[in-house]
Amino acid sequence: MKEEKKKIQNNFIVAAGLLALFILYTVAIMFVDVQPIGPQGSSVGFAEVNQYFHTLFGVNMLLYSITDWLSIAVLFIMFGFAMVGLVQLIKRKSLFRVDSSILVLGGAGYIGSHTVYELIAAGENVVVVDNLETGFRKAVHPDAQFYLGDIRDKAFIDSVFEKEDIDGVIHFAASSQVGESMKDPLKYYSNNLCGTEVLLESMVVHGIDKIVFSSTAATYGEPESIPILETDPTVPTNCYGETKLSMEKMFHWTSIAHNLRYVSLRYFNACGAHPNGKIGEAHNPETHLIPLILQVPNHQREYISIFGTDYDTKDGTCVRDYIHVNDLAQAHILAMNYLRNGGKSDIFNLGNGVGFTVKEVVETAREVTGHPIPAKEEARRAGDPSTLIASSGRAKGILGWKPQYADLRVIIETAWKWHQAHPHGYKAD
Ligand code: UDP
């Protein structure tokens, strides 16, 4: 916090000042004749300094005048402050570096909450802003500073930047359901675009110059070639993807006009849960494949619907690139550090580069859960592209990203652990 930082800096200044005075004073009484401070107001040299310390613990001290006592007291107070300053200095490694915070917008949501956990594990101070429309207060790490509010509220977002010492922003605060975006596009324009516009205005005014943005493969629309490269055409087929693409463009033009750099991370199919079992995926309504499949062994659903079996894929069902949420979280940390190290604005795909069909995902879930998981073949879901697989070579090469949970089985195991322990998400906790 800013006030706290100022207080600590003031202490440092006092301690450093006193340390300097202490050194000056010691040097002065050692090598210079100082009048009138010194035993009995006499000239003071090295021998007299020894005498000071000797007499401090001996009866002779009583013979000294009040000025001698005062000078001894001042000397020890200075020494005490100097030591405190030194200890703080060693502890913090640097005199004026008081850790600032990363502001995570939407830090109570699925990917946001996992990123907050990983940021805190990496030793960062984290401030979370969330309007809790789709996020959960219980998903916020207890060590994060939480503010309840909406990024469209300019006064609110300004107040956060004024209260907190923010080094950079990670932006997840957006609506993210494809189907809903087609039914209520203006909600997406309001939350995603207006929210980001207000945020950027406030960032520019407060001199915050780094932002990592949660984007999506939905910016590409129907891909022309697989795997998808960042340079491929972006022709979104739904309003959600359209608003995310517009947000990216807003960052682009703002970064040209102002002192701001951004990294946009285009995720493929986020899934899995934190291996600590404390946080996981909880959407209402749930529309994603893996949590829906796991509702069957969790006795919340009788079967899983397979949407479309006539796609041009190996078993006729859609192919997706499933990427673990903790790997996504790590990519945000790497992206923020990349910007801290002066990296230029850029866009990166995040996926494992391997595709699984819907039927393969269902089969893996059967193996993990030991449940037969009945499946029902149904018609295609509107707007589903047949195959989405990322090329993430740039994220690996430039950010140094190395996914740790690339195995689909491990991904489903982490999700299963979460859903078994929290069948109703955060609500029943
Ligand atoms: N899917 C399915 N049944 C479901 C939910 C999803 O067959 O109950 C399919 C969906 O058609 C898509 C894939 O699973 O091909 C992944 O869908 P999800 O909604 O998880 O992610 P998306 O790829 O749409 O972002």
Side-chain angles (χ1 to χ4, degrees):
M1 268 175 253
K2 272 183 184 164
E3 295 91 41
E4 199 186 317
K5 181 177 175 177
K6 265 195 198 131
K7 231 187 262 169
I8 294 170
Q9 283 186 346
N10 288 342
N11 285 348
F12 277 136
I13 291 165
V14 171
L18 285 168
L19 178 65
L21 270 177
F22 174 69
I23 292 166
L24 267 174
Y25 181 65
T26 309
V27 169
I29 60 174
M30 275 182 176
F31 301 109
V32 183
D33 280 353
V34 180
Q35 302 271 1
I37 300 173
Q40 285 138 10
S42 60
S43 304
V44 183
F46 190 67
E48 283 77 7
V49 176
N50 280 343
Q51 182 77 357
Y52 257 58
F53 287 98
H54 171 74
T55 53
L56 186 66
F57 302 104
V59 284
N60 287 352
M61 281 175 70
L62 294 170
L63 303 174
Y64 291 126
S65 69
I66 199 86
T67 32
D68 300 328
W69 275 101
L70 277 177
S71 60
I72 290 168
V74 167
L75 194 75
F76 273 84
I77 290 168
M78 283 183 180
F79 185 72
F81 268 97
M83 286 304 108
V84 169
L86 203 70
V87 167
Q88 286 190 321
L89 198 122
I90 291 164
K91 265 171 122 180
R92 289 179 180 269
K93 293 194 188 84
S94 152
L95 191 59
F96 284 103
R97 202 186 125 251
V98 179
D99 294 334
S100 47
S101 305
I102 300 292
L103 173 61
V104 181
L105 306 170
Y110 174 41
I111 306 169
S113 62
H114 285 74
T115 303
V116 171
Y117 266 71
E118 293 305 279
L119 281 165
I120 288 173
E124 299 279 0
N125 292 332
V126 179
V127 175
V128 168
V129 160
D130 203 297
N131 63 8
L132 297 185
E133 202 182 290
T134 52
F136 300 91
R137 182 66 182 89
K138 284 178 186 163
V140 179
H141 192 293
D143 293 346
Q145 174 74 34
F146 179 72
Y147 289 91
L148 175 64
D150 195 299
I151 60 165
R152 285 165 289 189
D153 180 346
K154 180 86 169 30
F156 164 72
I157 204 73
D158 278 344
S159 76
V160 174
F161 284 126
E162 270 145 34
K163 277 189 217 137
E164 301 289 343
D165 183 21
I166 302 298
D167 182 36
V169 175
I170 304 183
H171 182 19
F172 296 96
S175 301
S176 64
Q177 287 184 27
V178 171
E180 183 190 50
S181 79
M182 299 303 282
K183 287 191 193 119
D184 191 0
L186 294 180
K187 174 177 174 180
Y188 281 68
Y189 277 89
S190 167
N191 196 18
N192 298 4
L193 278 173
C194 298
T196 301
E197 188 272 326
V198 171
L199 167 71
L200 285 175
E201 255 184 53
S202 190
M203 283 180 70
V204 168
V205 167
H206 291 91
I208 317 288
D209 61 355
K210 297 178 278 296
I211 183 161
V212 176
F213 172 57
S214 152
S215 189
T216 168
T219 51
Y220 295 109
E222 189 68 53
E224 282 180 4
S225 56
I226 294 292
I228 301 172
L229 293 163
E230 289 86 348
T231 46
D232 284 355
T234 44
V235 190
T237 52
N238 54 61
C239 182
Y240 162 65
E242 183 68 42
T243 56
K244 286 271 175 165
L245 185 61
S246 302
M247 288 156 92
E248 286 188 354
K249 288 180 179 169
M250 213 187 277
F251 293 126
H252 169 72
W253 293 110
T254 309
S255 74
I256 287 174
H258 299 284
N259 177 30
L260 180 128
R261 283 168 301 125
Y262 70 95
V263 165
S264 179
L265 300 174
R266 291 179 177 164
Y267 325 144
F268 282 62
N269 286 60
C271 52
H274 200 295
N276 71 12
K278 291 182 186 165
I279 51 173
E281 191 166 7
H283 296 116
N284 190 19
E286 189 53 76
T287 60
H288 294 111
L289 180 64
I290 292 177
L292 286 175
I293 292 174
L294 295 176
Q295 284 180 2
V296 182
N298 237 359
H299 313 293
Q300 295 166 309
R301 172 181 295 274
E302 280 178 20
Y303 59 89
I304 182 72
S305 302
I306 295 181
F307 298 142
T309 51
D310 57 349
Y311 288 97
D312 185 17
T313 61
K314 60 179 166 182
D315 60 19
T317 64
C318 287
V319 171
R320 293 290 182 271
D321 185 339
Y322 293 90
I323 178 76
H324 195 276
V325 63
N326 276 46
D327 286 331
L328 293 179
Q330 286 302 328
H332 290 79
I333 298 174
L334 290 168
M336 183 53 75
N337 289 335
Y338 161 85
L339 291 175
R340 279 171 169 163
N341 294 329
K344 66 175 182 58
S345 296
D346 212 335
I347 296 174
F348 300 97
N349 283 342
L350 297 179
N352 278 311
V354 182
F356 293 94
T357 65
V358 174
K359 283 186 176 172
E360 284 172 333
V361 177
V362 174
E363 192 49 45
T364 310
R366 286 178 182 139
E367 287 165 18
V368 168
T369 61
H371 190 282
I373 310 183
K376 202 167 160 185
E377 296 185 2
E378 294 183 15
R380 288 182 177 199
R381 191 173 68 175
D384 271 343
S386 116
T387 302
L388 292 174
I389 301 174
S391 161
S392 300
R394 294 190 75 253
K396 288 175 182 162
I398 297 172
L399 301 179
W401 185 55
K402 290 190 196 89
Q404 302 294 308
Y405 303 91
D407 186 342
L408 182 64
R409 201 187 160 91
V410 174
I411 291 177
I412 296 180
E413 277 168 3
T414 63
W416 182 223
K417 181 178 168 186
W418 157 255
H419 287 292
Q420 264 183 308
H422 307 87
H424 305 289
Y426 294 97
K427 289 202 177 115
D429 286 4

